[in-house]
Amino acid sequence: MAEFPAKRLRRLRYNPTLRRMLAGVRLSPLDLIAPLFVRSGSGVRKAIASMPGQFQHSPDSALETVRRWSDAALPAVLLFGIPDSKDASGSSAWDGAGPVQTLVGLLKAKLPDVLVITDACLCEYTDHGHCGVVVGCGEGGADIDNDATLEALAKVALSHARAGADVVAPSAMMDGQVAAIRKALDAEGFLKTAILSYAVKFASSFYGPFRDAAQSRPQFGDRQSHQLDFASSRGVVSEALSDIDEGADMVMVKPALPYLDVIAELRRRTDLPIAAYQVSGEYASIQAAARAGWLEERAAAMEAAVAIKRAGADLIVTYFAEQLAGWLAEGH
Ligand code: PBG
């Protein structure tokens, strides 16, 4: 038994001012990226049942929403498109007049200070709901032709860059997607367009609500042939390191809260900015429990965001972005 036990660790926890001073992690609106779903039309603001507080917007309504977010000090948005028509190759994804491309143009014209990031994938645009060109479906999930998909992803990224996107974020988990997109962007002179790679993306059940929101649920099979197995511990960080070799400017880990160990490990292995995506299922779980009165939404959302930052993320993509900005402005 030590002679002077107790209280040595707790002594710093009594005074709330000292607690605040010693908080190593300070969340700021500048850490946050708000996802947004855009579809065609005008005056559309359609609630997403599985994600309370989230909407599918037409470009005009999206612009007003982003204006409000920007007024609340949020710096950045991540756009997802819901096209009018889908086909086997997902060709509406690189339609220069698609909802994402239209909104990007609108945002850069009206709110030039907002950083516009676009999700570059095909799953919202293919009739089968997969992230690329499907060539079969077996036990390993849907089999996607890697190299054919790279060509399509490059077209998508280029169409976003032409519309004015600041950052493109490829999320299909195809090998070589960052290099293919970098090459296509450079060839057209988009040297300033950055790539935020969804480098470490697990095959996760936490994407469930998003697939309703973006109408991108696979019609058969799953995404296990390209997304990471959640039980894998090897090869995870090298996914990110190879994207960095290919030219990624920032890397993302997704989902966030179940994979804080991966964020922390990646933090040790790279100096590049790391983003973490608190995905739809993480959001919906907190929302549902809060609605049932089982936990307090504000406290839980704040705790999750701080934990994600503490693990080593520089940026957090979160559906709580607007609420967090509001709470932070109140001084919490
Ligand atoms: C793919 C993509 C997905 C998400 C972001 N980009 C879905 C998927 O891989 O099925 C999920 C985001 C979320 O759940 O909030 N375009």
Side-chain angles (χ1 to χ4, degrees), residues 119 121 123-124 171 201 210-211 223 227 254 280 319:
D119 181 89
C121 194
C123 58
E124 296 111 88
S171 66
K201 180 169 173 182
F210 173 95
R211 292 178 185 170
R223 306 214 205 290
Q227 298 182 349
K254 174 184 169 197
S280 56
Y319 302 98

Side-chain angles (χ1 to χ4, degrees), residues 177-187 190-195 246-249:
Q177 62 182 12
V178 173
I181 289 173
R182 186 71 269 162
K183 194 168 153 215
L185 291 174
D186 288 352
F190 292 109
L191 302 179
K192 295 180 185 157
T193 311
I195 298 177
E246 287 179 30
D249 302 287

Side-chain angles (χ1 to χ4, degrees), residues 35 37 51 78 80 119-124 131 171-172 198 201-202 204 206-211 216 218 223 227 254 277-281 319:
F37 300 97
M51 299 172 68
L78 171 60
F80 295 94
D119 181 89
C121 194
L122 296 169
C123 58
E124 296 111 88
C131 305
S171 66
Y198 285 72
K201 180 169 173 182
F202 289 92
S204 172
F206 287 97
Y207 305 148
F210 173 95
R211 292 178 185 170
S216 61
R223 306 214 205 290
Q227 298 182 349
K254 174 184 169 197
Y277 197 143
Q278 182 186 43
V279 300
S280 56
Y319 302 98

